Amino acid sequence: MEQYEPDRLSPAQRAALRRGLTSGRAALTRRSLLRASGGGALAAGGLGALSACGIPAAGKGSGGIAAEDRSVKEKRVHFSNWTEYMDVDDDKRRPTLDAFTERTGITVKYTEDINDNNEFFGKVKPQLAAGQDTGRDLICVTDWLAARLIRFGWVQKLDAARLPHAYANLSAQFRSPDWDPGRAYSYPWTGISAVIAYNKKATDGKEITSVSQLLDEPKLKGRVGFLSEMRDSVGMTLLDMGKDPAAFKDDDYDAAIARLQKAVDRGQIRRFTGNDYTADLDKGDIAACVAWAGDVVQLKLANPDIEFAIPDSGYIVSTDNLLIPNKARHKRNAERLIDYYYEPEPAARLAAFINYVCPVDGVRDELAKIDPEAARNPLILPDKEMAAKSHAFRALTPKEETAYEEKFARLTGS
C-alpha cells in the first residue's frame, strides 16, 4: 500500500488543480477533452485526508474485493462515465447502449457523474477505503487515477475468459501500460493524443513538425503555445530531446524544464493554455502549438488552414480506462459490457461520435460505413507507423509528483 504525507496540498498542487478546473481539460465539455490529467498529486493528497480521518485503507491483496455477483439474477449494470462520452442520436437515445440491452437483456443505468478525476475520487474513496460497495459496477477514469486505484487494491481483477473481444482486439499500443501490465484490471475506453498543430496561414505555409521548431524558430516568436498539462508539455519536450517519457530520470525532467524556461525567457512561448488555445489557433494569433488531437479533429472541420503533425521523435498518448470497483454487485455484467465495446460495430459507432483515438483494432471498415472521413483520420484510427510513435508518460510517485508539479508551476507562472 502506498504511503502518503499529511493531507496538505503544496502551492504547486493547488496550482495544478486550478489549471485543471479553469483552463485545462476539466473546464470543458467531454468532446473538448474534459480531463484533469494534471491532478494525480491531488488524488494523493486526497488519500492523506482519508488517513487523517481515521478511515482504514482497503486490504492489500491482489485482485481487489469481490461481492456476491448478482449478475444472473439481476440483469443490470451501473456504468459511471464522463459527460459527452457516449454516442447519442437526435432523439437523445444512446444507440450502442440500447443495442447492448436488446441483445443481452441487461439494462444499463448510465450515469454521467464524472466531471473531474479528483472530484470523482472524492466521491468514491470513503466507500472504497472502508471496503464498501460504491453503487457502481463500471467506472471510467484517467490513467494516473486508474493506476492509483489498482495500487490501493480498490478495483477487481478482470476475468479474461469473459473478455474475448477485448483481449483479441485491443490495439497493441495500449496493451501493457506500466501501471497495469497485460491489462489485468483495466481496458481503455479511449486514447488521448498530444500532437503538434499549426495554422498554415499564420506560418506562411511552413510546416511545423517538431518541438524544436516550436522552441527555436524565430518566425514563430511570441506565437507558440504549450499545454498547461505537465505530462503533455514536458513529455513532448522529453521526446524531442531523445528521452523516453516512460523511463526518464530527475535530471532529464530538469533539462526539459530548463529548455522550456529558456523559450519562455526569450518570449518564444506566448503562453501555457488549456483548451482555450483553440480560438487563438483558429485566428492565427497562435501560429503553432502542442495540441490535443480531439480539438484538432474539430478545428479542421471548420478551418482548412489548421494542420497537425506527428513529430519524428514521437508524441504523448494517455488513456481513459474502464475498471470494476471492489464490491461491485454485477461484475459479470460489467465485463460483458466492456467486451461489447471491443466488438468492431459498437466501437466504430462510439468513435464516430466522440472523435477520440479508438483503442479497438479492426473497426476501420465499420467506421467507414458511418463516417468515411473519420475512418481515414489518423487522429482517430492511427496507422501502424503513427501508433509506433506513441509514448506514455510514466507513473509518478507522490514525491515525484509534488516536485515535478512545483517546477512546472514555476515555469508556467501558475
Side-chain angles (χ1 to χ4, degrees), residues 164 232 242 246 264 280 377:
D232 293 326
V264 169
D280 285 344
N377 193 329

Side-chain angles (χ1 to χ4, degrees), residues 103 162-170 339-340 342-344 360:
R103 182 202 296 184
R162 299 192 189 117
L163 298 162
H165 296 98
Y167 181 81
N169 296 335
L170 176 60
D339 196 59
Y340 167 74
Y342 274 81
E343 296 179 23
V360 183

Side-chain angles (χ1 to χ4, degrees), residues 238-284:
L238 285 167
L239 285 169
D240 192 71
M241 296 166 60
K243 302 297 181 180
D244 183 357
F248 65 90
K249 305 297 184 183
D250 286 350
D251 288 347
D252 300 324
Y253 184 89
D254 290 345
I257 290 290
R259 191 173 181 208
L260 290 165
Q261 185 67 61
K262 184 177 179 181
V264 169
D265 294 343
R266 288 190 290 104
Q268 181 77 7
I269 296 176
R270 182 186 183 94
R271 61 193 181 108
F272 291 82
T273 73
N275 174 261
D276 51 328
Y277 69 85
T278 55
D280 285 344
L281 182 62
D282 185 49
K283 291 184 295 184

Side-chain angles (χ1 to χ4, degrees), residues 12-340:
Q13 291 172 330
R14 289 194 294 271
L17 179 58
R18 286 196 302 272
R19 288 198 303 273
L21 295 180
T22 62
S23 64
R25 298 169 189 168
L28 313 166
T29 65
R30 190 62 205 181
R31 291 198 66 176
S32 295
L33 294 172
L34 170 60
R35 228 172 41 93
S37 67
L42 308 177
L47 189 71
L50 256 181
S51 299
C53 294
I55 303 175
K60 300 180 182 180
S62 62
I65 301 173
E68 177 189 356
D69 196 332
R70 304 181 185 182
S71 292
V72 175
K73 295 179 180 179
E74 300 175 357
K75 302 285 282 185
R76 60 178 180 264
V77 61
H78 183 180
F79 180 10
S80 281
N81 205 350
W82 300 76
T83 58
E84 303 291 335
Y85 222 19
M86 179 64 71
D87 55 305
V88 179
D89 65 16
D90 293 339
D91 296 322
K92 297 185 178 180
R93 292 181 302 215
R94 300 184 176 102
T96 57
L97 286 179
D98 290 346
F100 173 78
T101 297
E102 184 177 351
R103 182 202 296 184
T104 64
I106 299 170
T107 300
V108 181
K109 181 182 178 183
Y110 184 75
T111 308
E112 294 181 334
D113 61 345
I114 305 179
N115 296 303
D116 171 79
N117 283 293
N118 294 298
E119 179 186 58
F120 183 71
F121 184 71
K123 288 180 183 179
V124 299
K125 67 183 180 183
Q127 296 100 317
L128 290 173
Q132 298 171 353
D133 177 24
T134 66
R136 300 166 178 86
D137 301 303
L138 190 64
I139 61 175
C140 181
V141 297
T142 304
D143 44 22
W144 63 262
L145 181 52
R148 183 156 286 120
L149 295 174
I150 292 169
R151 286 199 302 271
F152 294 165
W154 287 359
V155 291
Q156 298 186 54
K157 194 168 187 177
L158 301 172
D159 186 340
R162 299 192 189 117
L163 298 162
H165 296 98
Y167 181 81
N169 296 335
L170 176 60
S171 298
Q173 70 181 112
F174 299 117
R175 279 196 174 271
S176 195
D178 63 352
W179 48 270
D180 186 17
R183 291 287 180 182
Y185 295 88
S186 70
Y187 269 89
W189 181 246
T190 52
I192 302 174
S193 304
V195 300
I196 289 177
Y198 61 97
N199 185 320
K200 62 185 179 184
K201 187 175 182 179
T203 64
D204 297 324
K206 184 178 180 63
E207 294 183 348
I208 308 299
T209 61
S210 71
V211 170
S212 291
Q213 285 176 283
L214 294 179
L215 295 176
D216 301 324
E217 174 62 53
K219 292 183 179 180
L220 296 179
K221 185 175 180 179
R223 297 187 299 152
V224 169
F226 274 75
L227 294 171
S228 57
E229 299 292 348
M230 180 266 287
R231 289 166 177 79
D232 293 326
S233 287
V234 175
M236 291 289 281
T237 305
L238 285 167
L239 285 169
D240 192 71
M241 296 166 60
K243 302 297 181 180
D244 183 357
F248 65 90
K249 305 297 184 183
D250 286 350
D251 288 347
D252 300 324
Y253 184 89
D254 290 345
I257 290 290
R259 191 173 181 208
L260 290 165
Q261 185 67 61
K262 184 177 179 181
V264 169
D265 294 343
R266 288 190 290 104
Q268 181 77 7
I269 296 176
R270 182 186 183 94
R271 61 193 181 108
F272 291 82
T273 73
N275 174 261
D276 51 328
Y277 69 85
T278 55
D280 285 344
L281 182 62
D282 185 49
K283 291 184 295 184
D285 292 340
I286 284 180
C289 60
V290 176
W292 290 309
D295 286 342
V296 179
V297 172
Q298 298 298 320
L299 282 171
K300 282 178 65 65
L301 293 175
N303 186 345
D305 289 326
I306 302 300
E307 298 289 351
F308 75 92
I310 303 300
D312 289 339
S313 59
Y315 65 104
I316 295 294
V317 170
S318 54
T319 52
D320 284 338
N321 309 271
L322 300 173
L323 304 100
I324 298 175
N326 283 355
K327 293 287 187 172
R329 298 185 179 188
H330 308 100
K331 182 174 184 284
R332 291 187 182 187
N333 292 343
E335 289 168 332
R336 196 165 182 182
L337 186 59
I338 294 172
D339 196 59
Y340 167 74

